[in-house]
C-alpha cells in the first residue's frame, strides 16, 4: 500500500512540474498548476492556481515518511478541486489580490452556512439590509466588520451561526434612480403607466441591484448567501400584507388627515428619518397685522421666515405674561392681503415672548408645532399648498405660484401696501429631503397610520424586564424617552415602487370610508361581491407602504413568518444580536422590537449593539463637499481589507470613530508584521519528512500544568501570557468589547511575542547547539502563533487564513477551527521573573543608547544579584546576551560589585538585580570627553542666545504670545539637555581620573 501511495504521489509531482513549466514565467516555479477551478489566480494564465509551498517546496518534499504519506496524498488530491494558499515562506508580503480568491474558497466550501449538526444554541444576526441602490461607504464597512467579527467568533466557538443577508427595496431612492434613468432617455414615468414603470424598476434591480452585495462580500462578510433576502421577495411581501391586516383587525391601523413631511418634487410623504435638517442663511420677515376695529396705531408685528403661509393663518398668539399685548388678547386681527379675513388674537404659554416680536402667527396646516397647538385649542386648519409646492385657491390671487415665487411677490405687495415692516438676515433650521435635497413642506394630508402607543408599551417593558439589552447602556434612556413620547406612524407613501397597500375601494362610491382590507385582489372582490353584489367593481389603493414598515418585520419575515412552522423560524428565531448605527435606534430598531413582540410574542433579538459614525481624522463628518470621504474599495486596494477592518473595529460601541490614513498605514504594517512572523516560524520548523523531530515537537503539551512548569523561563513566560490573553480576549468578545479585543491581541503579538519571544527564541534556534532545546522553542512558536491566528481571525480573516493554510498540521480551515479553550495553565512566578529579565535588558539597552554604542558591538557585564535571581537569570544567559548585545564569554554573575565598579556604568534594573558595564567597553573615554566638551560649548551658546531673547523687553512686549511661549519652552528644554550633558561629562571625567 505504501508503495502505491508513493508512486501516486510521485506521478502527481511529475504532473505538477510539467504543468508549472508550461505555465510560463507568470506562475512561481514549482507552484503553478492548471485546473478548472473558478478560484484561479488572476496573475497566472487562465485556469492556473498556486499550491502550498510547504508541501511542494524543495526543502519539504524530498522524502515523505510512511507515517505521513497518506495525509499528503489526500492533500495533493484535494488540491485539484480547490486553491491552496500562498505561504509566507515564499511571498515577501501578503498579496491583497488573494482576498477575493480566499473568500470564494470559503463560500464554495459551505463554511458560511450554519452547522446544525453541532446542536448548541444558534447565534443569529440579521444583517441591516442596505438599499438596493446603495454603493459601499464606510458606514457599511463598519457594520459588516462588527457583525462579521461576532459571527466568526461564535462560529469558532462551535455555535451554529447564521448571518442572514439581504437588501431593501428602498422605495423612494430606487424610484428616483429609475426616473432619472428614464428621463435621460426622454421618457416620463407618467407616460409609461404604473405596471410598465414597475417592470422597468425590476429590470434595473436585476441588472444593478447586486452591486452593494458584491461590495459587502469584498469586506469578508461570511453571510449565508443561500438565504439572501430582498424586501420585495414573495415571502417577505406576504409577511407585509399579513402584518397590515392583523394590525388593521386590531384597530391599530387607520386612515386620516394629519400633518406629514411632504416632498413636493417626489410627490410623497416621507418619514422623519428621510428628512435632514441643516442650518442655512435665510430671511426673517416682519409684517404688520392690523387689529380689527382699532386705530392705525393698533397693529401687531409678527416675524416669520415663511410669509407665504400667512394665507393659512387661523390665529395670532402672544404669551399670556407679555404685558405689551395683553390689551389685544380676545380681539381679532386682519390677515394681510386676504381681503379682510379675521382671525382671533389668543394667548398661550407656548409663545416665546423673546423671539422676534413675541407675536406668533398660527398656520396649523404648514407647521408641526402650530398643528399641535391648533388641535389642542380647537382651531381650524387651512391648507394653502398643492401637492406640487404651488399655492392653491385659498391663496387667492397668488394661487398657482410656486411657494418661493409667491414669497417674493407677497413681500413686494406687502411693501406696496405699507404692511411690510422690515426684513433681516436670519439662520434657520431647514428641513430637506434626504433623497431629493429639496425643502420639505409640512402638510396636512390623508394617509394611513399605525397607532403606536399600545405597541410601545410592550417594547418598553422588554427593556425594563431585561429581555432586551441595548449597548451602550446610555442609549436605553434615549430609547425609553422616544417610546414614552411616541407619535403615530405615517406608513403610506405616494409611490409606485414598493408594497402596495392591501386596501380596495368600491368604484362609484363617494366615500373612502367604505374600503376592503384583503390579502389579494380575489379575496377583496369576493368580500365586495358579498356586500355589494356580483357586478361590483373595485380598485386598489394607489399608495405603497413606507419602506420601514417591511424593514420592521425583517428579523422574522426573513425566517419564514407568518408560517411559524417554517424550519428556519423554529430553529433561528428569536435572533441573537441586532447590530446597527445608533442613528436609527428609533426608526428601525424600536419598530422591530414592537413588531416582533406584536406578531411573534417575543423580542426579535436579545441584544442591540449600536456603533457610532465614521468621521475623518479631524472629527468632521465625511462628505463629498468637504472632499474628506474615504471610499472603502479604494482603501481596500491600498491597505487591504484586514487593515481596514482592524482599524474600524478598534472603536468603542456607540462612539464616533475618527478614521485617518495614519491609522490605516499602521494597521497595514501590523498585517506585514504577522506575515513576517509566519515567515520566521515556517523557516525555523523541521522538515516535513523529519518524523522523529516532529514527533518530539508534538510531544509538548502546553495545556498541561505539569508540562508548563517544566518549560524554560522564556517559554513558560510567553505561554502563560498567551493563556491569560485567551481568557481576557474571550471575555471581551463575549461582552462585545471589540476595541479591547483588538488592542489586547495587538499588544501581545507585537510586544510580547514578536519583540521579545521571537528574538529570545533565536538564542535556542541559532546558538544553543542542542536540538532538544530548539524543539521547545519550535513547539512554543508554533503553538502560540496558531492561537494568535485564531484569536485574531474574526478581525483579520484573510491574512490569518492565508498564513494558517501554510502551517503544518493545520487541520481544517481556520474559519471553522475550534476556539482556544480558556483557563489553561499559567505560571505567575515565571511571568514576574521574565519581566525582571525584560527590565534588566531595557536598562542595558538604554545605557547602550545613551553612550551611542554601535549595535554590532558586544560589551561585558558583571551582574550582581542574590542567589535566587542569579539562578534564573544565569539560566538564560544566552537569551540575555542576545537581547542585550552582551559578550557571552564576559558575562559574570557575582554577589557583590566587581573590582572595576568605579570604572563602570552602574544600573539597577529592579530589587535584587544590578549590573556593572565597563565604560571602556562602550566608548573611547578620551574621545568621548572631547566630543561632549565641544557639544557642551555649542549647547551653551544656543542656550545663552535664547535667554538673551527672553531678557529683551522689546521681544517679550512686541512678539506674539505664542512665539514668546515657544521660546520659553525651548529655554527649558535646552536647560535640561545642558544639565544632562554636564552630568555625563563629569561622570566620564571622574572615570578617567580614577583610571589614572
Amino acid at each position: 500500500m505504501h508503495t502505491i501511495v508513493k508512486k501516486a504521489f510521485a506521478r502527481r509531482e511529475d504532473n505538477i512540474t510539467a504543468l508549472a513549466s508550461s505555465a510560463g514565467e507568470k506562475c512561481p516555479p514549482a507552484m503553478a498548476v492548471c485546473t478548472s477551478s473558478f478560484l484561479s489566480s488572476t496573475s497566472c494564465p487562465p485556469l492556473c492556481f498556486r499550491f502550498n509551498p510547504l508541501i511542494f517546496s524543495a526543502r519539504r518534499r524530498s522524502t515523505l515518511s510512511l507515517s505521513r504519506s497518506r495525509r499528503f496524498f489526500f492533500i495533493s488530491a484535494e488540491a485539484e478541486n480547490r486553491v491552496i494558499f500562498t505561504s509566507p515562506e515564499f511571498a515577501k508580503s501578503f498579496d491583497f489580490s488573494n482576498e477575493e480568491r480566499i473568500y470564494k474558497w470559503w463560500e464554495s466550501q459551505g463554511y458560511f452556512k450554519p452547522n446544525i449538526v453541532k446542536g448548541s444554541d444558534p447565534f443569529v444576526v440579521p444583517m441591516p439590509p442596505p438599499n438596493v441602490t446603495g454603493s459601499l461607504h464606510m458606514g457599511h464597512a463598519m457594520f459588516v466588520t462588527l457583525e462579521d467579527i461576532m459571527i466568526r467568533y461564535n462560529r469558532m466557538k462551535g455555535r451554529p451561526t447564521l448571518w442572514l443577508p439581504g437588501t431593501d427595496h428602498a422605495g423612494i431612492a430606487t424610484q428616483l434612480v429609475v426616473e432619472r434613468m428614464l428621463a435621460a432617455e426622454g421618457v416620463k414615468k407618467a407616460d409609461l403607466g404604473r405596471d410598465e414603470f414597475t417592470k422597468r424598476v425590476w429590470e434595473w434591480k436585476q441588472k444593478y441591484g447586486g452591486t452593494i452585495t458584491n461590495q459587502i462580500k469584498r469586506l469578508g462578510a461570511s453571510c449565508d448567501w443561500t438565504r439572501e433576502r430582498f424586501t420585495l421577495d414573495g415571502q417577505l411581501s406576504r409577511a407585509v400584507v399579513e402584518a397590515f391586516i392583523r394590525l388593521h383587525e386590531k384597530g391599530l391601523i387607520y386612515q386620516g388627515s394629519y400633518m406629514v413631511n411632504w416632498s413636493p418634487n417626489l410627490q410623497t410623504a416621507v418619514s422623519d428619518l428621510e428628512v435632514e435638517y441643516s442650518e442655512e442663511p435665510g430671511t426673517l420677515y416682519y409684517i404688520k397685522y392690523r387689529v380689527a376695529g382699532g386705530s392705525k396705531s393698533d397693529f401687531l408685528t409678527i416675524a416669520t421666515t415663511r410669509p407665504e403661509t400667512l394665507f393659512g393663518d387661523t390665529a395670532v398668539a402672544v404669551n399670556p405674561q407679555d404685558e405689551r399685548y395683553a390689551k389685544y388678547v380676545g380681539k381679532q386681527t386682519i390677515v394681510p392681503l386676504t381681503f379682510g379675513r379675521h382671525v382671533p388674537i389668543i394667548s398661550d404659554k407656548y409663545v416665546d415672548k423673546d423671539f422676534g416680536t413675541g407675536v406668533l402667527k398660527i398656520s396649523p396646516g404648514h407647521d408641526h408645532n402650530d398643528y399641535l397647538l391648533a388641535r389642542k385649542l380647537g382651531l381650524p386648519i387651512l391648507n394653502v399648498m398643492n401637492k406640487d409646492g404651488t399655492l392653491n385657491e385659498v391663496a387667492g390671487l397668488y394661487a398657482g405660484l410656486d411657494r418661493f415665487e409667491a414669497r417674493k411677490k407677497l413681500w413686494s405687495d406687502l411693501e406696496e401696501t405699507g404692511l411690510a415692516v422690515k426684513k433681516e438676515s436670519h439662520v434657520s433650521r431647514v428641513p430637506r429631503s434626504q433623497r431629493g435635497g429639496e425643502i420639505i413642506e409640512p402638510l396636512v394630508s390623508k394617509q394611513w397610520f399605525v397607532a403606536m402607543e399600545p405597541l410601545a408599551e410592550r417594547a418598553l417593558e422588554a427593556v425594563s424586564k431585561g429581555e432586551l439589552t441595548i449597548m451602550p447602556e446610555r442609549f436605553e434612556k434615549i430609547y425609553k424617552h422616544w417610546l414614552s413620547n411616541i407619535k403615530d406612524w405615517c406608513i403610506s407613501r405616494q409611490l409606485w415602487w414598493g408594497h402596495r397597500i392591501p386596501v380596495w375601494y368600491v368604484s362609484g362610491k363617494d366615500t373612502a370610508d367604505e374600503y376592503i382590507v384583503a390579502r389579494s385582489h380575489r379575496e377583496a372582490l369576493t368580500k365586495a361581491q358579498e356586500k355589494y353584489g356580483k357586478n361590483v367593481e373595485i380598485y386598489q389603493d394607489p399608495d405603497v407602504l413606507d419602506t420601514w414598515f417591511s424593514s420592521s418585520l425583517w428579523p422574522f419575515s426573513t425566517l419564514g413568518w407568518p408560517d411559524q412552522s417554517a424550519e428556519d423560524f423554529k430553529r433561528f428565531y428569536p435572533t441573537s444580536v441586532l447590530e446597527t448605527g445608533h442613528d436609527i435606534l428609533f426608526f428601525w430598531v424600536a419598530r422591530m422590537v414592537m413588531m416582533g413582540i406584536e406578531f411573534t410574542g417575543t423580542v426579535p433579538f436579545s441584544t442591540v449593539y449600536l456603533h457610532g459614525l465614521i468621521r475623518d481624522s479631524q472629527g468632521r463628518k465625511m462628505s463629498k463637499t468637504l472632499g474628506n470621504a474615504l471610499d472603502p474599495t479604494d482603501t481596500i486596494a491600498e491597505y487591504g481589507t484586514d487593515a481596514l477592518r482592524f482599524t474600524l473595529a478598534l472603536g468603542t460601541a456607540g462612539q464616533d470613530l475618527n478614521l485617518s490614513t495614519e491609522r490605516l498605514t499602521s494597521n497595514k504594517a501590523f498585517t506585514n508584521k504577522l506575515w513576517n512572523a509566519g515567515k520566521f516560524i515556517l523557516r525555523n520548523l523541521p522538515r516535513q519528512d523529519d518524523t522523529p523531530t516532529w514527533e518530539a515537537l508534538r510531544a509538548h503539551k502546553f495545556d498541561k500544568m505539569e508540562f508548563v512548569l517544566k518549560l524554560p523561563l522564556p517559554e513558560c513566560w510567553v505561554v502563560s501570557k498567551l493563556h491569560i490573553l485567551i481568557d481576557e480576549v474571550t471575555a471581551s468578545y463575549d461582552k462585545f468589547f471589540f476595541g479591547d479585543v483588538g488592542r489586547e491581541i495587538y499588544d501581545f503579538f507585537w510586544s510580547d511575542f514578536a519583540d521579545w519571544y521571537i528574538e529570545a527564541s533565536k538564542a535556542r534556534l541559532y546558538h544553543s547547539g542542542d536540538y532538544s532545546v530548539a524543539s521547545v522553542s519550535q513547539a512554543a512558536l508554533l503553538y502560540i502563533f496558531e492561537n494568535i491566528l485564531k484569536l485574531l481571525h474574526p478581525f483579520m480573516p484573510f491574512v490569518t487564513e492565508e498564513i494558517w493554510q501554510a502551517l503544518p498540521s493545520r487541520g481544517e480551515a481556520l474559519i471553522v477551527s475550534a476556539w482556544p479553550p480558556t483557563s489553561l495553565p499559567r505560571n505567575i512566578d515565571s511571568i514576574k521573573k521574565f519581566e525582571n529579565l525584560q527590565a534588566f535588558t531595557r536598562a542595558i539597552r538604554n545605557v547602550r543608547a545613551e553612550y551611542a554604542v554601535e549595535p554590532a558591538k558586544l560589551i561585558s557585564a558583571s551582574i550582581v544579584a542574590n542567589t535566587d535571581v542569579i539562578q534564573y537569570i544565569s539560566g538564560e544567559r544566552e537569551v540575555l546576551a542576545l537581547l542585550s548585545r552582551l559578550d557571552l564569554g564576559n558575562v559574570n554573575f557575582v554577589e557583590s560589585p566587581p573590582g572595576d565598579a568605579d570604572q563602570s556604568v552602574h544600573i539597577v534594573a529592579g530589587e535584587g538585580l544590578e549590573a556593572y558595564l565597563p565604560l571602556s567597553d562602550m566608548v573611547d573615554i578620551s574621545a568621548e570627553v572631547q566630543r561632549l566638551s565641544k557639544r557642551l560649548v555649542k549647547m551653551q551658546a544656543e542656550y545663552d542666545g535664547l535667554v538673551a531673547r527672553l531678557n529683551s523687553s522689546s521681544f517679550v512686549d512686541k512678539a506674539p504670545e505664542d512665539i514668546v511661549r515657544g521660546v520659553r519652552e525651548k529655554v527649558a528644554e535646552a536647560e535640561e539637555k545642558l544639565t544632562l550633558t554636564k552630568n555625563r561629562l563629569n561622570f566620564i571625567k571622574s572615570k578617567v581620573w580614577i583610571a589614572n
Side-chain angles (χ1 to χ4, degrees), residues 129-151:
N131 289 350
V132 71
T133 58
S135 182
L136 195 68
H137 56 66
M138 282 299 176
H140 295 126
M142 174 66 94
F143 89 69
V144 170
T145 295
L146 294 175
E147 291 173 28
D148 197 43
I149 286 173
M150 298 177 192
I151 287 292

Side-chain angles (χ1 to χ4, degrees), residues 375-574:
R375 293 191 67 183
K376 182 181 80 169
L377 300 176
L379 297 173
I381 296 173
L382 278 178
N383 175 28
V384 303
M385 202 82 66
N386 294 315
K387 296 294 178 69
D388 62 357
T390 60
L391 271 59
N392 62 24
E393 66 279 358
V394 175
L397 298 175
Y398 300 88
L401 290 178
D402 175 78
R403 51 185 169 159
F404 302 116
E405 301 239 338
R407 182 180 299 176
K408 294 177 183 177
K409 178 169 174 42
L410 179 68
W411 183 250
S412 176
D413 292 345
L414 286 169
E415 287 179 319
E416 286 186 16
T417 57
L419 296 176
V421 178
K422 65 175 181 177
K423 63 179 180 178
E424 61 186 23
S425 298
H426 177 75
V427 176
S428 301
R429 192 164 175 260
V430 179
R432 288 191 176 273
S433 166
Q434 185 187 63
R435 301 301 175 191
E438 63 172 327
I439 294 178
I440 290 295
E441 188 65 42
L443 205 65
V444 174
S445 175
K446 192 170 188 178
Q447 304 285 343
W448 289 94
F449 294 85
V450 177
M452 300 301 289
E453 280 191 23
L455 301 173
E457 288 176 9
R458 297 170 68 186
L460 282 166
E461 287 178 7
V463 172
S464 301
K465 292 180 178 179
E467 297 171 0
L468 177 66
T469 300
I470 299 176
M471 299 182 61
E473 188 178 355
R474 69 178 185 276
F475 284 102
E476 283 189 8
K477 294 181 180 178
I478 301 171
Y479 173 89
K480 291 177 180 178
H481 175 78
W482 186 73
L483 287 179
S484 300
N485 298 276
I486 199 167
K487 299 176 183 178
D488 287 356
W489 175 16
C490 174
I491 58 171
S492 49
R493 298 289 180 268
Q494 290 64 52
L495 302 170
W496 285 356
W497 173 248
H499 295 101
R500 194 88 172 261
I501 290 178
V503 170
W504 283 261
Y505 303 99
V506 177
S507 299
K509 293 286 182 181
D510 293 335
T511 173
D513 293 333
E514 294 191 42
Y515 59 81
I516 299 162
V517 178
R519 290 171 177 81
S520 65
H521 183 275
R522 177 178 295 180
E523 182 183 325
L525 183 59
T526 301
K527 288 182 177 181
Q529 288 173 339
E530 290 174 355
K531 186 173 183 179
Y532 299 105
K534 292 291 183 181
N535 296 324
V536 69
E537 294 184 2
I538 61 174
Y539 63 95
Q540 191 172 359
D541 193 307
D543 292 352
V544 299
L545 288 164
D546 179 12
T547 300
W548 293 102
F549 188 86
S550 57
S551 297
S552 69
L553 312 177
W554 184 255
F556 47 94
S557 65
T558 51
L559 295 172
W561 187 90
D563 179 8
Q564 295 191 226
S565 65
E567 284 301 314
D568 275 3
F569 185 85
K570 290 191 297 182
R571 183 175 290 123
F572 298 119
Y573 188 83

